[in-house]
């Protein structure tokens, strides 16, 4: 088995759509990024790459590359999930945290879990998303940014390619 961790933070600005966990969430500000700014999918993507020691999202999808301008982060996650599978691994489970003062995300959690599970070809109950505020302090607490954390566990599915 292999474990991986991911972290991300994006600034919130007016005039951007808020997309988290592949889900559009109505809010007066959205996450700034070269891609769609989906910090939750980015943390999960980084956790998958980390588990395989294959670098990070920036090395696979550079933000200097026009191809990834306004990219749908779900497409990046799906590409990395395919890399996990072709490396001989399967996803056991994913746990994650979104730190956002506003909007309150409780009503969107299961929609995000469903969307992430779909991208990962994993069962719904293998994907956990938890939302927290930052008690009004720090950039997340002041509504200047949203940060995310994710951890994934992989197990060998195909020994002939996993190298383990
Ligand atoms: Mg990011």
């Amino acid at each position: 088995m292999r474990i991986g961790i991911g972290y991300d933070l994006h600034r919130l600005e007016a005039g951007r759509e808020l997309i988290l966990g592949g889900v559009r969430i109505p809010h007066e500000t959205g996450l700034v990024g070269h891609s769609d700014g989906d910090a939750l999918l980015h943390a999960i993507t980084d956790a998958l790459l980390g588990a395989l020691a294959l670098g990070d999202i920036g090395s696979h999808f550079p933000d200097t590359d026009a191809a990834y301008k306004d990219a749908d982060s779900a497409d990046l996650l799906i590409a990395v999930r395919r890399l996990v599978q072709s490396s001989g691994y399967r996803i056991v489970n994913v746990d994650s945290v979104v730190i956002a003062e506003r909007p309150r995300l409780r009503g969107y959690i299961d929609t995000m879990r469903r969307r992430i599970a779909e991208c990962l070809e994993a069962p719904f109950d293998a994907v956990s998303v938890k939302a927290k505020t930052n008690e009004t302090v720090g950039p997340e607490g002041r509504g200047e940014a949203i940060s995310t954390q994710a951890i994934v566990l992989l197990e060998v599915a195909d020994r002939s390619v996993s190298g383990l």
Side-chain angles (χ1 to χ4, degrees), residues 8-10 38-39 42 57:
D8 200 15
L9 179 147
H10 282 248
D38 192 329
H42 293 176
I57 193 167

Side-chain angles (χ1 to χ4, degrees), residues 126-160:
V127 178
S128 162
V129 175
K130 308 186 300 297
K132 300 180 66 64
T133 71
N134 216 38
E135 296 282 330
T136 75
V137 299
E140 298 96 327
R142 290 189 298 266
E144 296 165 4
I146 288 177
S147 68
T148 58
Q149 302 174 356
I151 190 162
V152 307
L153 185 69
L154 308 182
E155 68 180 0
V156 173
D158 182 351
R159 254 167 230 289
S160 68

Side-chain angles (χ1 to χ4, degrees), residues 3-163:
I3 193 166
I5 188 171
Y7 165 83
D8 200 15
L9 179 147
H10 282 248
R11 279 183 299 110
L12 281 166
E13 266 181 20
R16 292 277 300 184
E17 261 194 305
L18 177 59
I19 301 170
L20 268 178
V23 177
R24 267 189 179 71
I25 297 171
H27 193 50
E28 66 266 27
T29 56
L31 296 171
V32 179
H34 184 70
S35 67
D36 61 12
D38 192 329
L40 178 53
L41 295 193
H42 293 176
I44 294 170
T45 304
D46 258 352
L48 289 169
L49 289 169
L52 295 177
L54 286 176
D56 62 21
I57 193 167
S59 62
H60 287 259
F61 312 106
D63 64 7
T64 48
D65 188 334
Y68 304 117
K69 175 103 182 76
D70 299 322
D72 181 344
S73 298
D75 291 339
L76 312 185
L77 179 58
I78 288 166
V80 168
R81 180 260 296 158
R82 291 201 180 110
L83 181 60
V84 168
Q85 291 168 331
S86 64
S87 302
Y89 288 86
R90 89 163 63 85
I91 295 158
V92 177
N93 75 305
V94 176
D95 190 14
S96 64
V97 186
V98 180
I99 301 149
E101 203 67 26
R102 287 190 324 112
R104 293 301 155 110
L105 297 170
R106 185 170 305 231
Y108 299 95
I109 295 282
D110 280 354
T111 314
M112 290 192 253
R113 290 175 63 204
R114 246 187 309 277
R115 180 66 184 128
I116 295 161
E118 190 178 83
C119 293
L120 297 179
E121 295 188 336
F124 177 69
D125 67 2
V127 178
S128 162
V129 175
K130 308 186 300 297
K132 300 180 66 64
T133 71
N134 216 38
E135 296 282 330
T136 75
V137 299
E140 298 96 327
R142 290 189 298 266
E144 296 165 4
I146 288 177
S147 68
T148 58
Q149 302 174 356
I151 190 162
V152 307
L153 185 69
L154 308 182
E155 68 180 0
V156 173
D158 182 351
R159 254 167 230 289
S160 68
V161 289
S162 71

